[in-house]
């Protein structure tokens, strides 16, 4: 397909080779008025410089999210169609990816309706420069898309997962439901028992059904595409520092298309203000467990979560228990004996 600009350039080339303007336009099938046309639209160099500045910082963005970054999400400042035209003229399109056919069995079960309704957590793996494995435990609020925690370790046990959950509950308040797959760290008896004590219901997805954990998989894909694939970690402390910095950027600066090009923190504040002004619960939240309050103030949403030491003693003492006792039906009797001995009581 030949564009009008290419036809004009071909006609000008024929004129330089000695043909008349009439013959040149007849050969390339373009009018003489079009050959002499001079554009009156303003120069695009300034807009192109802004686009390149955003692309340098966010090479994974397309033209829509680049336009949102250039205008800070405000409408009427710069037309997105102009950005798209400049984007195409300069060949800035990303290579098209071949879409895979994915079988979808139904809607995502237990969809979140307000902040702190449903959390999801999962693992992502990477490695340091020396080839040693890194594991990232991600915790996400499905309603506001906020990344609540990204913990980096060489390996995780059930007690390590509880450490991360305890800190997240203390900072953001406990959710009503916690979604995960059937990994060994998530179905461990110690994790189930503690979540039952703090009144957080678990929701495990079906085996081989990652589409049931759509928000967690989306966050993990963003983490992989925009952070892990662009960084080379020399050590575990460096990975922790860079991950903390990226998580802060993700929550406070990165704009989400599903949130109307708002950041997760802005969306959290906006929904809190809307619910607070209306004085009513959002739809489908009238019969929610735990007396959940969707007003979503940080201080009001926090529920008193007992420390793990009051449930099954210090973490070090829990790790000393036999793994067979924690994974069998005798775990309750073993931990009860451990408490009766006085070792599991908080000092």
């Amino acid at each position: 397909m030949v564009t009008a600009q290419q036809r004009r350039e071909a006609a000008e080339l024929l004129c330089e080779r000695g043909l008349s303007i009439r013959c040149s336009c007849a050969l390339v099938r373009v009018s003489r008025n079009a050959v002499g046309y001079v554009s009156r639209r303003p120069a695009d160099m300034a807009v192109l410089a802004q686009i390149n500045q955003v692309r340098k910082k966010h090479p994974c963005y397309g033209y829509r999210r680049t336009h949102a970054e250039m205008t800070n999400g405000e409408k009427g400042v710069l037309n997105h169609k102009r950005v798209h035209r400049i984007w195409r003229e300069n060949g800035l399109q990303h290579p098209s990816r071949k879409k895979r056919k994915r079988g979808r069995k139904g809607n995502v079960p237990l969809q979140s309706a307000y902040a702190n309704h449903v959390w999801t957590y999962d693992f992502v793996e990477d490695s340091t420069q020396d080839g040693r494995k890194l594991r990232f435990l991600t915790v996400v609020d499905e309603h506001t898309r906020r990344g609540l925690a990204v913990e980096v370790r060489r390996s995780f046990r059930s007690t390590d997962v509880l450490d991360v959950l305890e800190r997240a509950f203390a900072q953001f308040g406990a959710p009503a439901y916690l979604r995960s797959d059937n990994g060994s760290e998530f179905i461990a008896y110690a994790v189930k028992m503690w979540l039952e004590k703090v009144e957080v219901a678990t929701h495990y997805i079906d085996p081989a059904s990652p589409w049931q954990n759509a928000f967690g998989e989306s966050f993990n894909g963003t983490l992989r595409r925009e952070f892990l694939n662009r960084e080379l970690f020399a050590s575990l402390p460096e990975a922790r520092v860079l991950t903390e910095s990226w998580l802060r950027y993700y929550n406070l600066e990165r704009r989400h298309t599903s949130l109307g090009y708002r950041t997760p923190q802005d969306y959290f504040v906006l929904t809190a203000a809307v619910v607070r002004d209306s004085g009513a619960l959002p739809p489908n939240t009238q019969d929610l467990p735990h007396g959940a309050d969707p007003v979503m103030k940080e201080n009001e949403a926090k529920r008193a979560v007992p420390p793990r030491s009051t449930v099954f003693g210090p973490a070090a003492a829990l790790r000393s228990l036999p793994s067979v006792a924690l994974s069998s039906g005798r775990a309750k009797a073993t931990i009860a004996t451990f408490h009766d001995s006085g070792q599991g009581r908080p000092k």
Side-chain angles (χ1 to χ4, degrees):
M1 181 177 180
V2 182
T3 63
Q5 179 61 27
Q6 292 174 338
R7 292 176 184 272
R8 288 194 292 266
E9 293 176 355
E12 293 174 357
L13 179 61
L14 292 176
C15 291
E16 294 176 358
R17 297 296 177 87
L19 290 180
S20 64
I21 184 66
R22 184 186 297 273
C23 293
S24 301
C25 293
L27 288 175
V28 299
R29 297 181 180 181
V30 65
S31 66
R32 286 183 290 173
N33 292 335
V35 174
Y37 172 76
V38 178
S39 176
R40 297 182 180 180
R41 63 190 180 196
D44 298 327
M45 297 306 297
V47 179
L48 180 60
Q50 296 180 20
I51 292 176
N52 289 330
Q53 185 177 1
V54 175
R55 291 184 70 249
K56 184 177 180 181
K57 185 178 180 181
H58 309 286
C60 299
Y61 283 9
Y63 84 92
R64 293 186 182 274
R65 296 183 64 180
T66 301
H67 171 262
E69 288 290 330
M70 294 169 60
T71 59
N72 292 326
E74 299 179 4
K75 296 182 179 180
V77 178
L78 178 65
N79 196 323
H80 72 279
K81 292 184 286 186
R82 183 182 179 189
V83 175
H84 187 209
R85 174 178 57 79
I86 299 174
W87 190 275
R88 293 178 59 88
E89 289 177 354
N90 291 272
L92 303 179
Q93 299 95 327
H94 294 288
S96 58
R97 294 183 298 178
K98 185 178 180 180
K99 295 184 178 180
R100 296 179 298 173
K101 293 183 179 179
R102 301 176 180 179
R104 184 75 178 271
K105 300 181 181 179
N107 297 327
V108 177
L110 188 63
Q111 297 186 15
S112 62
Y114 59 92
N116 280 7
H117 182 195
V118 182
W119 288 8
T120 177
Y121 62 147
D122 200 358
F123 284 108
V124 180
E125 291 192 359
D126 201 48
S127 61
T128 51
Q129 191 173 358
D130 56 2
R132 298 179 62 189
K133 185 170 67 174
L134 287 176
R135 300 196 75 190
F136 297 77
L137 175 60
T138 61
V139 184
V140 184
D141 187 334
E142 293 190 357
H143 184 74
T144 62
R145 313 297 199 273
R146 286 194 302 175
L148 307 178
V150 180
E151 181 71 14
V152 189
R153 294 175 184 261
R154 295 291 184 183
S155 62
F156 278 89
R157 293 187 291 183
S158 59
T159 51
D160 300 326
V161 174
L162 289 177
D163 289 337
V164 178
L165 292 180
E166 189 174 16
R167 291 196 301 267
F169 287 6
Q171 182 177 359
F172 301 101
Y177 294 93
L178 196 59
R179 192 197 310 270
S180 69
D181 56 24
N182 296 273
S184 58
E185 299 88 352
F186 304 141
I187 64 175
Y189 182 81
V191 175
K192 289 184 176 180
M193 185 177 66
W194 186 73
L195 292 176
E196 183 180 354
K197 291 289 184 179
V198 299
E199 299 181 355
V200 175
T202 57
H203 181 81
Y204 297 106
I205 65 175
D206 296 333
S209 302
W211 59 270
Q212 295 183 359
N213 190 15
F215 297 102
E217 296 293 341
S218 176
F219 180 85
N220 294 343
T222 301
L223 175 68
R224 173 77 64 185
R225 182 176 58 256
E226 299 185 7
F227 177 61
L228 298 182
N229 290 345
R230 299 175 57 188
E231 296 289 346
L232 183 61
F233 306 114
S235 62
L236 178 60
E238 180 184 3
R240 287 174 174 170
V241 172
L242 294 178
T243 302
E244 184 67 25
S245 177
W246 181 84
L247 182 62
R248 190 180 305 109
Y249 153 76
Y250 179 89
N251 289 327
L252 302 180
E253 299 181 26
R254 186 182 183 276
R255 302 180 184 277
H256 290 242
T257 55
S258 58
L259 302 180
Y261 293 102
R262 301 183 183 91
T263 65
Q265 185 63 28
D266 291 342
Y267 184 75
F268 176 85
V269 175
L270 176 64
T271 52
V274 171
V275 176
R276 188 183 304 111
D277 295 341
S278 62
L281 294 176
N284 303 324
T285 61
Q286 308 299 329
D287 300 323
L288 294 172
H290 315 305
D293 182 10
V295 173
M296 296 174 294
K297 284 185 179 180
E298 290 285 356
N299 295 332
E300 295 176 1
K302 292 180 181 178
R303 293 191 287 111
V305 177
R308 276 194 299 130
S309 58
T310 64
V311 180
F312 26 52
L318 181 63
R319 294 189 184 99
S320 64
L321 290 176
S323 58
V324 177
L326 291 178
S327 59
S328 66
R330 296 173 297 173
K332 290 186 177 180
T334 304
I335 294 178
T337 305
F338 179 71
H339 276 288
D340 294 338
S341 63
Q343 301 179 33
R345 297 172 184 169
K347 297 181 180 180

